């Protein structure tokens, strides 16, 4: 009879431990599911952030290329103006030099005339 009581007690303890193990296993599964969900959410957020970064970089690259093209266009438009400006400056310089030479010539002629006025 005592062996039968030991057997029953042993079986009860075994069943209690099995139940405890089952509860622990369920908790573990819940935790793992939660971690898997968190990991999946983190993966989704990571992919979303990478996609946004790629889109931002592509937009920045497009904007840079557009700005570069616009600046090159402006430069091409400005080059003829610079050439025209240089030509105009050269012409003005030539005219100024001619005017100064004319003034000097007139001054010299005037001095010669004044000098000659007293000569018969």
């Amino acid at each position: 009879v005592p062996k039968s009581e030991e057997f029953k007690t042993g079986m009860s303890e075994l069943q209690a431990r099995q139940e405890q193990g089952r509860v622990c296993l369920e908790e573990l599964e819940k935790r793992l599911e939660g971690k898997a969900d968190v990991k999946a959410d983190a993966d989704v957020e990571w992919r979303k952030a990478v996609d946004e970064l790629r889109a931002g970089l592509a937009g920045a690259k497009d904007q840079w290329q557009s700005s570069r093209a616009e600046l090159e266009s402006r430069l091409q438009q400005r080059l003829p103006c610079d050439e025209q400006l240089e030509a105009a400056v050269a012409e003005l310089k030539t005219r100024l030099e001619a005017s100064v030479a004319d003034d000097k010539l007139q001054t010299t002629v005037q001095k010669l005339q004044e000098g000659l006025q007293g000569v018969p």
Side-chain angles (χ1 to χ4, degrees), residues 79-99:
L79 287 176
C81 292
D82 287 350
E83 290 171 359
Q84 291 172 355
L85 183 61
E86 285 177 22
V89 166
E91 183 180 337
L92 285 174
K93 186 176 176 183
T94 304
R95 286 183 183 178
L96 181 62
E97 288 170 352
S99 174

Side-chain angles (χ1 to χ4, degrees), residues 8-85:
K8 287 180 185 177
T9 305
M11 285 300 284
S12 293
E13 287 178 9
L14 183 61
Q15 287 174 343
R17 286 185 181 175
Q18 283 179 336
E19 180 63 22
Q20 203 175 22
R22 186 187 62 75
V23 169
C24 285
L25 188 61
E26 285 178 2
E27 286 179 21
L28 248 165
E29 286 174 346
K30 287 178 184 176
R31 285 184 185 170
L32 287 175
E33 284 176 10
K35 287 186 179 183
D37 291 343
V38 167
K39 184 181 183 306
D41 290 346
D43 286 346
V44 167
E45 290 298 319
W46 173 257
R47 286 189 187 108
K48 190 187 297 184
V50 168
D51 289 344
E52 288 175 6
L53 182 61
R54 284 184 180 149
L57 288 175
K61 182 181 178 185
D62 291 345
Q63 186 177 8
W64 176 79
Q65 287 175 336
S66 173
S67 296
R68 180 178 175 197
E70 183 180 340
L71 287 173
E72 286 176 350
S73 172
R74 285 183 181 176
L75 180 61
Q76 292 301 320
Q77 290 172 359
R78 184 176 171 183
L79 287 176
C81 292
D82 287 350
E83 290 171 359
Q84 291 172 355
L85 183 61

